[in-house]
Each structure stands twice: as C-alpha cells, then as structure tokens.
Amino acid sequence: MWRSLLGSTLVAAGLTLSWSMAWAGQTLDGVRQRGVLACGVNVGVAGFSLPDSQGVWRGMDADLCRAVSAAVLGDPNKVRFIPLTAVQRFIALQSGEIDVLIRQTTLTMVRDTNLGLRMVGVNLYDGHGFMVRRDANVSDIRGMDGMTICMSPGTTNELVTQDAFRAANLRFAPVLQERMQDNAQALQAGRCDAIATDATQLAALRSQFGRPNDYVILEARFSKEPYGPVVRRDDQEWFDVVRWVLNGLIEAEELGVTSTNAEQMRATSSDPAVRRLLGAVPDLGQAIKLQPSWLYDAIRAVGNYGELYDRTIGPNTPIGLPRGANDLWTRGGLMYAWPLR
C-alpha cells in the first residue's frame, strides 16, 4: 500500500523509482542456495590475499571474505576466492561473477555513484606513496624528477601520481602493468625506478623481495586511500549484511571480545552490548535475516578487527605496519564501529 502511494507521489513529481533495484534482495538468497560465497580478491598481495604453499588464501582481505561467509553460511570455509586485477574487479562485480569485492579498493565518490556499486565501509585507512631503490638516495618526490614509475592501470594511483608530479612541476615516465607483482619484478630488475601505489601495498610487495632492505618507501603520502568492501547497488539487503559484519568485527575489539574468549563471553557476560553482539539475544540477526550467532561465528572464525590486523599486516608480521590511523578511536585511531543496537 505504502509503495503504491509513494510511487504515485514520485510520478506526480516527475520522478521515477525502480522497485526492482530498491528491493532486489537476491544476493543473500543466491549465496544461501549456492552454499558458497563468491568473493573477489587481489591476484596476490602478501598480507591481503595470497595463496600459501598449500593453496590456501591468506591475508586481511581473504579473512574478511571468510567473516562474511561465517556470518551468512555459518562456515568460514565456504568461500570461492576469485582473483581479480584492478581492471577486472568492477566488471566482475557488476556482471554478478562475484557477490562481494574485498580487494584493496579505494572508496571514492565517483566509484560510489557512477558504477552501479556501493562502497560498504572502511576496513583500512591508507595513502598513496612511492618506493625507490635505496641507492637512488631519494628522500622525497623532488628527487624523483624524470624517473620511470611502474603502476597498475585502473587504479586511483595513476591520477594521484600525475597530480603530485604536476603540482611539483616534475616529470615522470609511466609504465603500466595490470599485475602489481609485475611492477615489483620490474623494479627489482631495474626496468623502472620506482613503484607508485598505496603504502600498505608497497610494504606488502617489499616483504616478498629477496633483498627488502635495498628498497625505501618514501615517508610522504599524497592522498587519502580508504579501503573497503564493495557490493552491487541494486541490493540494499546484501549491502546491510556486509556493512554490519565489518562493523561487528570493529565493535568486538572495542568490547574486548576475541576469537578465544567469545564462547565464554557469550555464555557469561551480562553486558547488553556483548550479549547483542554474540547473539545471546537474537535482535541483530533478525534485523538482517541472519541467524542469531552470525557475528559470533564471524568473530570465532577470524577474530576481532585488531586480531585480524595484527595477524595479517601488523608490526609482528613481515609487512610490519603499526596500527596508526587503523587503531581504535579510543586509542587515537580512526576505527569506529557504528552502534550495534
């Protein structure tokens, strides 16, 4: 009834509304019917999404895929990882080849409004940087004049590099290769003088070099690069699921809930926020058509946000990134969960 009234009002005002887009709700049902989540990830970047020696995908992005699978299907292992280049990623999501894209993707206004996609939320704050050989004796962008710079097409890094060099009145020669691993090999082989991409990815690439200490990531950052999951725009129900899984992992760290104590806290905690988070009361799951244990299952599978960060890219990993802006808001960072109530 209210739909027809609203529709009539919009038509009278000269506006249109596609109910098929606003009420699609097909992705969640499709994942359940298939019994597997199709998750788009990078083709291979250490700390984010990279198969280990047994072919098991490891990293922050891979584990976020597992968290969504655990929340929706009750099993973190019901994921089909689809490796995608920067050029392929949005097409794969638009076409329905994947259900969600969790692949070092910067959330920007144009991407959120013009591609038929929705940016879900931030799982990592980053910034554009440059990596050069240590023996080049370069400490800032002014020393990079005339350099050959490797980067991947279809990324924000192309535009940021152009803008940074233009603003500094400097020149550079771009070398565009889809796979960041090819850019890493080109730098090590001397076919380019630098790599331009986000700083976390530079650290991940360097951790895989034979001689990582021979390369320097310049200190300056030239952009804001907030990473986050992406879904299709025509399915608000699925958008809600992915967004609140991410918020749930952050909330778990805020509340001190971990992969190891979640079971005990679910059984014994009297804190209403913890009880809601872990499904001791069913309200949150009912709100997005999931089982009461949806976040409990996700946290047990991959840990809270801090556990996830520390295990994949944190200070004690080969990548060695401090929390910085990715720490909780209560410790001076930017990570802040929307209230789960």
Side-chain angles (χ1 to χ4, degrees), residues 55-316:
V56 178
W57 286 86
R58 304 292 185 188
M60 175 177 280
D61 293 348
D63 279 351
L64 284 173
C65 294
R66 293 186 176 97
V68 175
S69 176
V72 173
L73 299 172
D75 187 338
N77 298 312
K78 292 185 176 180
V79 181
R80 183 168 72 250
F81 293 100
I82 311 295
L84 300 166
T85 67
V87 172
Q88 297 167 335
R89 57 184 165 173
F90 296 132
I91 298 170
L93 185 57
Q94 291 162 338
S95 68
E97 180 183 352
I98 58 175
D99 302 308
V100 59
L101 177 69
I102 306 180
R103 184 211 175 278
Q104 295 171 290
T105 297
T106 301
L107 312 183
T108 71
M109 177 181 174
V110 171
R111 288 174 174 176
D112 190 50
T113 57
N114 288 3
L115 299 180
L117 306 175
R118 292 295 306 276
M119 309 283 131
V120 171
V122 179
N123 72 271
L124 191 75
Y125 290 97
D126 204 352
H128 177 98
F130 297 101
M131 179 163 60
V132 299
R133 288 191 297 275
R134 186 178 296 276
D135 60 15
N137 294 317
V138 171
S139 59
D140 57 44
I141 192 174
R142 291 188 297 275
M144 296 179 65
D145 193 21
M147 279 190 170
T148 297
I149 301 178
C150 284
M151 63 188 100
S152 295
T155 67
T156 57
N157 304 107
E158 283 186 90
L159 178 61
V160 173
T161 299
Q162 293 167 7
D163 288 349
F165 272 73
R166 186 178 298 114
N169 197 27
L170 302 174
R171 300 170 297 104
F172 75 97
V175 174
L176 300 178
Q177 302 181 109
E178 275 198 55
R179 291 170 54 90
M180 190 53 68
Q181 292 79 1
D182 294 336
N183 292 326
Q185 291 173 8
L187 177 64
Q188 293 175 89
R191 294 194 298 274
C192 59
D193 303 308
I195 295 178
T197 190
D198 301 335
T200 56
Q201 189 161 191
L202 292 173
L205 292 170
R206 186 175 63 176
S207 73
Q208 301 293 297
F209 286 2
R211 300 172 62 91
N213 291 332
D214 288 354
Y215 300 87
V216 175
I217 300 171
L218 302 187
E219 184 176 351
R221 299 291 172 264
F222 296 87
S223 67
K224 296 178 291 185
E225 304 291 336
Y227 290 165
V230 187
V231 297
R232 285 180 292 279
R233 195 175 188 84
D234 62 359
D235 196 334
Q236 182 66 38
E237 179 181 84
W238 182 243
F239 172 87
D240 290 342
V241 168
V242 178
R243 174 166 65 178
W244 288 106
V245 170
L246 174 58
N247 273 279
L249 299 184
I250 300 169
E251 174 94 335
E253 185 180 9
E254 293 180 354
L255 295 174
V257 178
T258 69
S259 57
T260 56
N261 70 16
E263 183 175 6
Q264 179 184 3
M265 294 189 75
R266 188 185 193 200
T268 63
S269 178
S270 60
D271 184 333
V274 172
R275 289 175 58 78
R276 285 192 296 268
L277 181 80
L278 298 178
V281 291
D283 305 29
L284 299 184
Q286 290 174 351
I288 54 175
K289 301 181 182 178
L290 297 180
Q291 66 272 21
S293 65
W294 64 294
L295 279 174
Y296 170 78
D297 293 335
I299 295 163
R300 290 268 290 171
V302 306
N304 64 38
Y305 179 81
E307 291 178 276
L308 176 63
Y309 186 100
D310 289 342
R311 181 176 64 249
T312 56
I313 62 175
N316 295 322

